């Protein structure tokens, strides 16, 4: 059996990762400089000296380009957080604290200092929720890893590490949600270190059996 | 000294509270039915059988009408929460739990079930931050009251009730922020009761002295 290779196709495929990366790098630069809404696929193509049709060979739509850019940007912080989650020489407390500080720092840097980035993230949040959800899940997995480690080592005393990690994650929304950090910077919030100290207390106290009874119907869970 | 009274002016002033209320009630109905953006002062005036100029006698602008409507709406939940904060026969734990459940239920009801309300709230958030800030502060004061009571009764063990209440408040952002609840309902979050149980643990554990040292520069506080 012989396989016929189209030389043009082969050369296109060899160039693909590079061209793909160049498109993404250019798109990200445009999104940062003039914003997601104003950027067109034609702008990106022109800057790279190629036709829009060639860009569409790699990405179906501007939305698909944005998804890839957002994924590239979020992967960086995910790698950082995953590294802290298994960092040797740090207690579970220290790892939780460091993860929260880094998530907050990253969000402040990306959003507050560069309002156009928010536009890109907001487009992803309304058009490509899957990308955002994956990011949230990966950060959640890192937090769960640390809480589970802390329980194993006896540092933390919680009944359900997965639920506890989810509570911890959702409790820091104000400090790490791009919409809140960029759009409502004046909303009151305690300093991040006070918040970390508060949350760490919840990881140490043994579960009590006298949980308050509900005075009314349970609130709808979200 | 005699004071001359203009009979027309006197009659206008006597009618003022009623007219003001009618304008607000009509505006709120328009905001709920066709949305804040599409509502005009002319619509409101026409429905009430008065001239736009007469509406402007009571409110400077549509923004001012929205501020008053939002204030009226938020006062209801503030009164409810203030009542729970001093409810006799409930432990501090139960009051914290009930306040969080009610804030969440109120937010879900107002925003998720009626997307147009979000438009009104969003307008207030971008144009009239002061109104939103007052609401946040009033809810924060109720939480601080409960935490302080809990410390006094020995139920809670925290060093600084004000900071602790602020941490508690900011930790429930995901459940009570109109933008998050209405715009990102699919963002993951543990059930509200799991979150309440998690947060109550932080109120009981005595402060520890071995707070984790910072491995890097402190994150910028917001």
């Amino acid at each position: 059996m012989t396989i016929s290779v189209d030389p043009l196709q082969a050369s296109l495929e060899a160039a693909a990762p590079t061209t793909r990366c160049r498109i993404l790098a250019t798109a990200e630069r445009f999104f940062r400089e003039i914003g997601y809404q104003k950027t067109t696929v034609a702008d990106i193509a022109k800057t790279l000296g190629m036709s829009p049709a060639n860009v569409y060979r790699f990405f179906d739509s501007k939305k698909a380009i944005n998804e890839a850019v957002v994924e590239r940007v979020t992967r960086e912080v995910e790698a950082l957080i995953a590294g802290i989650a298994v960092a040797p020489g740090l207690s579970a407390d220290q790892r939780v604290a460091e993860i929260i500080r880094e998530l907050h720092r990253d969000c402040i840097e990306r959003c507050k200092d560069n309002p156009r980035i928010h536009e890109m993230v907001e487009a992803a949040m309304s058009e490509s929720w899957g990308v955002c959800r994956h990011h949230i899940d990966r950060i959640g997995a890192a937090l769960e890893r640390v809480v589970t480690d802390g329980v194993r080592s006896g540092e933390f005393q919680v009944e359900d590490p997965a639920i506890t990690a989810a509570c911890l994650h959702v409790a820091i929304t104000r400090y790490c949600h791009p919409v809140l950090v960029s759009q409502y910077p004046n909303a009151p919030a305690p300093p991040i270190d006070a918040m970390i100290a508060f949350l760490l207390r919840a990881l140490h106290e043994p579960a009590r059996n006298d949980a308050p009874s509900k005075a009314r119907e349970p609130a709808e869970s979200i």
Side-chain angles (χ1 to χ4, degrees), chain A residues 23 41-42 44-46 48-58:
Chain A
I23 293 170
V41 171
I44 298 168
K46 197 177 168 192
L48 289 165
M50 60 174 74
S51 68
N54 198 38
V55 173
Y56 284 118
R57 212 192 290 254
F58 295 92

Side-chain angles (χ1 to χ4, degrees), chain A residues 4 21 39 43 45 60 63 79 82 84 89 92 94 100 102 108 111 132 146 149 158 216:
Chain A
S4 74
C21 288
T39 301
D43 290 334
D60 285 346
K63 177 187 152 194
I84 299 169
Q94 286 171 321
I100 296 175
E102 282 301 325
I108 292 273
C111 297
C132 303
V146 180
D149 278 1
V158 302
R216 302 174 199 213

Side-chain angles (χ1 to χ4, degrees), chain A residues 145-159:
Chain A
R145 166 70 192 260
V146 180
V147 174
T148 305
D149 278 1
V151 171
R152 274 199 203 118
S153 68
E155 227 188 306
F156 296 155
Q157 291 173 33
V158 302
E159 273 180 20

Side-chain angles (χ1 to χ4, degrees), chain A residues 75-97:
Chain A
R75 287 277 183 188
E76 281 173 33
V77 68
E78 287 162 18
L80 178 67
I81 299 303
I84 299 169
V86 296
L90 292 182
S91 67
D93 258 6
Q94 286 171 321
R95 282 180 277 160
V96 167

